[in-house]
Amino acid sequence: MHSATTLAEPSRPSVADFHRVNRGGGLFSESISQWIGAVFALVAQRLGLRPTALTLTNLVLGLAASVTVVALADDVAAGSVPAWAVGLVALVAWQIAYALDCADGQLARVTKQNNPAGARVDVLCDVAAQIALVTALGATAVAQRPSTPTWLVAVFAGTWMVNLVTSVMQAGPNAASMVTSTSLPVRLAKLVRDYGAVIFLAGLVLTVAPALTLWVIVAFTIVNGGFLLASIAFSARASLR
């Protein structure tokens, strides 16, 4: 008579396991977007999906929302299409798209599917989605206020990408941060550069007060432009030591 040895099945990752490997992003992103992303990553893992599938879904959803905002900007300004409906679609779609953007990295790291090609696709899709979002905000501002200066929209579009560029740079071997404190007041102040919080604000303004989109553009042009100049000064000072 002999005893049979039963091998224990390997434990499957939980939502907490996926969230544990998140790459941050700020107070809003870590508290909301990364948790939603962890749920998406868990579902994707159960379905056998690859991280790139989530990346491309994020791109399609983000582009669709932004194209909808652009296409209906004039109708919203004229009052023939309710602003709240278009804004709500953008608000929800942008948040889901960003959560999927969080999820693809979580899925790749937990399931060991991370590779350079996937990382490149992720960055390129982020660029495409953010170009579309900036276009949507610019189109809304111009539709609501035709006197909006062209140069302002151009500077807004250029400085918006500072967030993405610095995020990519901070993920490399030479990463550095100007403000390393993780205290609550500092994290609250950094919400102005937390992508999840920023697109939530943008979607909220489109929903309840699209006429204020111009001032959103002005505010983020100042924030991102100021951060760019501060980053140049910080890096230049460090390089001259």
Side-chain angles (χ1 to χ4, degrees):
M1 186 174 179
H2 61 278
S3 59
T5 302
T6 302
L7 297 177
E9 292 186 3
S11 59
R12 296 200 294 180
S14 65
V15 170
D17 292 325
F18 284 109
H19 185 266
R20 193 173 297 116
V21 299
N22 80 80
R23 291 291 176 84
L27 185 60
F28 183 99
S29 291
E30 292 169 41
S31 302
I32 299 176
S33 307
Q34 293 285 4
W35 277 110
I36 299 174
V39 174
F40 288 157
L42 177 69
V43 173
Q45 190 266 340
R46 298 289 193 266
L47 295 176
L49 299 178
R50 295 183 66 84
T52 299
L54 300 183
T55 304
L56 296 177
T57 303
N58 150 41
L59 175 63
V60 171
L61 189 57
L63 288 180
S66 296
V67 168
T68 299
V69 172
V70 172
L72 298 176
D74 289 335
D75 293 328
V76 169
S80 56
V81 172
W84 68 265
V86 177
L88 189 60
V89 167
L91 173 64
V92 174
W94 286 339
Q95 287 297 321
I96 293 176
Y98 178 51
L100 287 167
D101 184 36
C102 298
D104 59 10
Q106 294 174 351
L107 179 64
R109 287 186 285 276
V110 169
T111 61
K112 304 296 189 292
Q113 297 183 71
N114 41 330
N115 59 71
R120 286 195 297 272
V121 171
D122 185 30
V123 173
L124 292 171
C125 286
D126 286 346
V127 171
Q130 293 197 34
I131 289 173
L133 187 145
V134 167
T135 303
L137 294 178
T140 300
V142 172
Q144 293 288 328
R145 296 196 180 194
S147 60
T148 300
T150 303
W151 64 263
L152 175 60
V153 178
V155 174
F156 165 67
T159 55
W160 180 275
M161 303 311 291
V162 171
N163 243 359
L164 182 60
V165 172
T166 53
S167 295
V168 172
M169 291 172 64
Q170 287 177 354
N174 299 316
S177 176
M178 291 187 295
V179 182
T180 57
S181 173
T182 56
S183 66
L184 182 58
V186 170
R187 299 195 78 196
L188 288 173
K190 284 186 174 182
L191 282 174
V192 295
R193 300 194 66 253
D194 181 330
Y195 187 69
V198 167
I199 60 174
F200 178 79
L201 174 62
L204 188 63
V205 169
L206 293 183
T207 302
V208 301
L212 296 180
T213 304
L214 173 62
W215 299 109
V216 170
I217 285 179
V218 170
F220 283 107
T221 298
I222 293 172
V223 168
N224 291 323
F227 182 78
L228 175 60
L229 295 176
S231 296
I232 292 172
F234 174 79
S235 299
R237 180 182 177 186
S239 70
L240 293 173
R241 287 177 181 172

